[in-house]
């Protein structure tokens, strides 16, 4: 006795409910796969953007500090001097979160005040005095953000500018970046499951007419192959 099911496509002999579920699952996979692939990318992009945003306000604070410090570098008896009052020195150091470093060097590179171990800016090119520049560096094993500028002292014979730098560790920046990331990522843990549920609900409703049409075709065409319905 021959087995009628031999050589038939498994999809042709599968129950209609199985076929509907297979179609539903395949479409659902194609819709959700990009969503789950894009979500880690959005997290990475959010981290980079948060880091950039966190830098801006604290860089402005560093710029203000370095410009105030630059105003205290003056020519005294033919030499550059840092005349920094004690209250101003304490204000530079006053930070409850980060460690702040500062340095002032004269027109010949001589030490005027501050932290001797603060690294010098890279390269020999000097920008115009009064322009604040930034860089990332390391001091005493700490990663720091440095703002620096050159101070023009035209009354000195050598005519070279003095250098002032202010640096601080990155704790405040990290805290702000983390808060930004939390504010963006945590809501996504609620939104993402809701999006999956909405996709599932919308897809199930969307293929419902197709399932009804398939059932009608089977009724109206007796003996029709289920795979062709």
């Amino acid at each position: 006795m021959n087995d009628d099911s031999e050589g038939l496509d498994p999809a042709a002999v599968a129950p209609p409910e199985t076929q509907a579920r297979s179609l539903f699952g395949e479409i659902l996979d194609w819709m959700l796969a990009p969503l789950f692939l894009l979500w880690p990318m959005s997290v990475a992009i959010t981290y980079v953007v948060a880091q950039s945003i966190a830098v801006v306000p604290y860089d402005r604070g560093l710029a203000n500090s370095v410009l105030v410090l630059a105003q205290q570098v003056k020519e005294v008896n033919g030499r550059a001097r840092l005349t920094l009052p004690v209250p101003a020195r304490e204000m530079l150091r006053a930070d409850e979160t980060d460690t702040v470093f500062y340095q002032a060097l004269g027109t010949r590179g001589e030490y005027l005040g501050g932290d001797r171990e603060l690294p010098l800016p890279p390269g020999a090119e000097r920008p115009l005095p009064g322009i604040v520049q930034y860089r990332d560096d390391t001091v005493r094993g700490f990663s720091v953000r440095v703002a620096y500028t050159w101070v023009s002292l035209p009354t000195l014979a050598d005519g070279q500018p003095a250098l002032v730098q202010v640096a601080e560790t990155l704790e405040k920046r990290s805290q702000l970046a983390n808060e930004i990331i939390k504010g963006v990522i945590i809501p996504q843990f609620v939104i993402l499951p809701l999006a999956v549920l909405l996709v599932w609900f919308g897809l199930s409703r969307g293929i419902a007419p197709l399932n009804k049409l398939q059932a009608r075709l089977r009724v109206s065409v007796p003996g029709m192959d289920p795979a062709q319905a």
Side-chain angles (χ1 to χ4, degrees):
M1 181 175 180
N2 293 332
D3 188 351
D4 293 339
S5 64
E6 274 188 31
L8 292 178
D9 186 354
V13 297
E17 293 80 3
T18 302
Q19 292 182 25
R21 282 197 298 269
S22 299
L23 177 62
F24 177 83
E26 186 173 350
I27 297 176
L28 189 65
D29 289 343
W30 279 105
M31 294 183 70
L32 293 183
L35 181 63
F36 286 107
L37 288 175
L38 290 174
W39 187 71
M41 295 176 58
S42 72
V43 172
I45 294 172
T46 299
Y47 176 79
V48 174
V49 172
Q51 293 288 339
S52 301
I53 294 174
V55 164
V56 174
Y58 295 114
D59 275 1
R60 291 174 181 168
L62 272 181
N64 291 335
S65 296
V66 81
L67 291 175
V68 170
L69 184 63
Q71 294 174 357
Q72 310 307 315
V73 177
K74 302 175 182 178
E75 183 270 331
V76 178
N77 297 327
R79 301 190 63 179
R81 290 285 186 273
L82 176 65
T83 57
L84 191 62
V86 174
R89 191 179 300 116
E90 292 177 349
M91 184 184 68
L92 280 173
R93 301 293 194 185
D95 194 307
E96 297 180 356
T97 305
D98 284 306
T99 303
V100 180
F101 308 91
Y102 73 93
Q103 182 189 75
L105 301 179
T107 57
R108 301 180 181 87
E110 71 274 18
Y111 171 78
L112 301 181
D115 302 279
R116 293 179 181 270
E117 64 269 37
L118 196 59
L120 295 176
E125 183 178 354
R126 297 183 177 182
L128 294 175
I131 297 177
V132 179
Q133 292 189 309
Y134 305 93
R135 73 177 191 275
D136 297 316
D137 220 315
T138 303
V139 180
R140 301 176 189 172
F142 296 102
S143 296
V144 295
R145 182 72 167 169
V146 186
Y148 61 99
T149 189
W150 301 91
V151 183
S152 177
L153 299 173
T155 56
L156 297 184
D158 52 24
Q160 297 297 317
L163 171 67
V164 293
Q165 304 187 94
V166 178
E168 67 179 5
T169 52
L170 308 179
E171 185 62 28
K172 291 195 298 290
R173 289 171 167 79
S174 298
Q175 290 178 0
L176 179 57
N178 290 336
E179 291 299 320
I180 295 172
I181 292 170
K182 289 178 183 177
V184 175
I185 299 301
I186 290 179
Q188 292 185 11
F189 285 104
V190 178
I191 295 172
L192 189 61
L194 288 177
V196 173
L197 288 174
L198 289 174
V199 169
W200 180 86
F201 177 75
L203 183 58
S204 62
R205 294 294 296 271
I207 68 171
L210 180 60
N211 292 335
K212 293 179 180 178
L213 177 61
Q214 187 180 49
R216 289 176 182 174
L217 287 174
R218 293 195 196 98
V219 172
S220 62
V221 185
M224 181 178 182
D225 189 342
Q228 297 175 350

